[in-house]
Each structure stands twice: as structure tokens, then as C-alpha cells.
Amino acid sequence: VLFPDAEGQLLLGLAESYKHAGHNNEAVTLTERGLRCPTDTPAIRAQLYAIRAHAQLATDLKAAEQAAMDAIDLGVRAGVPAAVAFGNAARSVICRARGDLEEAVRIAREATAELERSCGAADQHHPEIWLGAALVAQDRFEEAEEIFAEGQRKAEQLGTAWSMPLWHYYRASLYFAQGRLAEVESESEAGLRIAERVGALQLSVPLKALLGRVAVLTDRMPLARDYLQQMQRMLAGGISVLRSEEHTSELQH
């Protein structure tokens, strides 16, 4: 029999692993189990809510927003800056998905500031990823590229392998917005190799989507169809994608 805190910590780790693997529904289920554990440890609960928020970005933005607010509230009270930063990162994604770009940037800056105030405790969640993404959505390309470059350097120093596909994906998205198709392709291919190596399959679908879109724009339709079929197989196998990263329907058209 596990002690309550140990059980909650184990479920937290499992939920995070499932989320990175793209199995967001399973990640949500594991956070629900963790939140039902008879524990008085707000720190674990705050982190469970933060993981739940990011997992629910793929399925239910309203539920994700509530989970993010719970993570922030508990994280502030329990002194867990990582949960606060990650919760605000989820809120930034939600605002971006709704088209509220000014708020997406503002909240992502809050998350990044939380990282700085924590003296590195929140580093492992890299809220700069979502700040850069919000800036790209505002066409603030130079600022976003600087943030991505600095953020990736920090991630490489920390050895947070899970974040590497995200850096490549969002940099590739930046290049796509600028029409730099050759760089989109090289960044996406690099991100895809890492995603498959570390099991971060949630990013494999949008990375393949970007590669497929480049194939369409460069008149390589057989290759585009191949990427589409690969994506469809992954989605049919239970991989889910954040709504702000969905390009499958665009590729189908």
C-alpha cells in the first residue's frame, strides 16, 4: 500500500508521461485519480491541476481553463511556482485559441516572470515556449525568434528532453508564417526525430502537418498524402492534439 503522498506523486508522474505521449484523455483520468487521493498536500494537487489543464487543452478549453485557475490558486497558496507558471501557460494557450492575442501575450509574460522570480524552480516547464507562440500569432517574429533561441538554450542546459519537439515545432510555425519553407521543413524534421525518440508523440501530429503543408505548397502531393495518412493513423490510435495546433483539416483540403 502506498502512502497518500507517494500515490499522488506517482500518479502525477504517470499523468505527465501520458500527456507528453499524446494520450491526453488517459492523462486527465490519472490526474482525477490523483486528486481523489486522501492527501493534504496542496503542492501535489497544484501540479496535478496544471498537468490536467494542459491535457484538457486538446479536448475541452473551458475545463482546461478551470483546471489552470485551480493550479494557479493552489500553487500560490502552497508556494509551488512551477504549478503557477504552467497554469498560466495553459491560460495563454486558451487565449490564443480564442483569438485574444493581447491577453495571451500578457499571461505568458506572467508565466515567464514567475519562472524568473522562482530562481529556476519553474524552469522545467519553459513558459517561454507559449510566450513565443503568442508573439508569433501577433506577427512579432523577431521577438519570438529571440525568445525561442534563448529558451531552447536553457532547455538544452537543463536536459529537458520533453520540450525539444516543442521548440522545433513553434520555431517551424514561425518560419511558416514568414514563408521560409525550407527552414520549416528542416525544423519540423528535426522536431519529429526527437519527438519519436523521446516518445513525445503529441507533437508528432502537428509536426507532420507542417511537413504536409510544405509538401502541398511545393507541389509534392504524394508526399503530402503520405503525411496525412500517417497523421490519421496516429489520431485513430488515440493521440490527441492541442486545438491551437490542429492542422489536419487544413491539410485535408
Side-chain angles (χ1 to χ4, degrees), residues 184-201:
V184 174
E185 205 159 27
S186 62
E187 282 290 337
S188 297
E189 288 170 349
L192 193 57
R193 286 193 298 271
I194 297 170
E196 292 176 346
R197 187 172 72 241
V198 303
L201 298 182

Side-chain angles (χ1 to χ4, degrees), residues 124-197:
Q124 303 266 335
H125 290 298
H126 302 299
E128 306 102 315
I129 294 170
W130 292 278
L131 173 56
L135 290 168
V136 170
Q138 286 192 321
D139 295 341
R140 295 162 67 177
F141 299 138
E142 290 185 9
E143 189 176 354
E145 191 158 16
E146 289 176 6
I147 286 170
F148 288 146
E150 178 61 23
Q152 186 169 347
R153 279 195 293 271
K154 288 181 183 178
E156 288 168 350
Q157 290 170 1
L158 288 165
T160 46
W162 69 267
S163 73
M164 292 304 163
L166 277 166
W167 296 112
H168 285 290
Y169 168 73
Y170 281 114
R171 186 178 281 113
S173 297
L174 163 64
Y175 294 153
F176 191 90
Q178 295 175 302
R180 297 157 62 180
L181 298 186
E183 289 161 288
V184 174
E185 205 159 27
S186 62
E187 282 290 337
S188 297
E189 288 170 349
L192 193 57
R193 286 193 298 271
I194 297 170
E196 292 176 346
R197 187 172 72 241

Side-chain angles (χ1 to χ4, degrees), residues 23-131:
H23 294 285
N24 289 294
N25 290 330
E26 290 85 347
V28 171
T29 299
L30 287 164
T31 62
E32 288 173 350
R33 284 179 56 189
L35 291 165
R36 289 198 299 269
C37 287
T39 177
D40 294 324
T41 307
I44 293 175
R45 295 179 65 82
Q47 293 173 83
L48 283 164
Y49 274 121
I51 294 297
R52 180 172 179 164
H54 280 264
Q56 287 181 313
L57 289 173
T59 56
D60 187 337
L61 292 182
K62 185 175 181 180
E65 188 169 30
Q66 183 58 59
M69 295 305 297
D70 289 337
I72 293 163
D73 180 55
L74 273 173
V76 168
R77 289 192 281 119
V80 187
V84 177
F86 211 36
N88 271 322
R91 289 179 62 214
S92 178
V93 175
I94 292 164
C95 289
R96 180 159 49 91
R98 290 173 176 167
D100 190 350
L101 302 183
E102 288 292 340
E103 190 70 356
V105 170
R106 186 189 69 78
I107 292 172
R109 287 199 191 281
E110 279 188 19
T112 304
E114 184 65 33
L115 178 152
E116 293 170 353
R117 286 194 298 269
S118 71
C119 299
D123 266 356
Q124 303 266 335
H125 290 298
H126 302 299
E128 306 102 315
I129 294 170
W130 292 278
L131 173 56

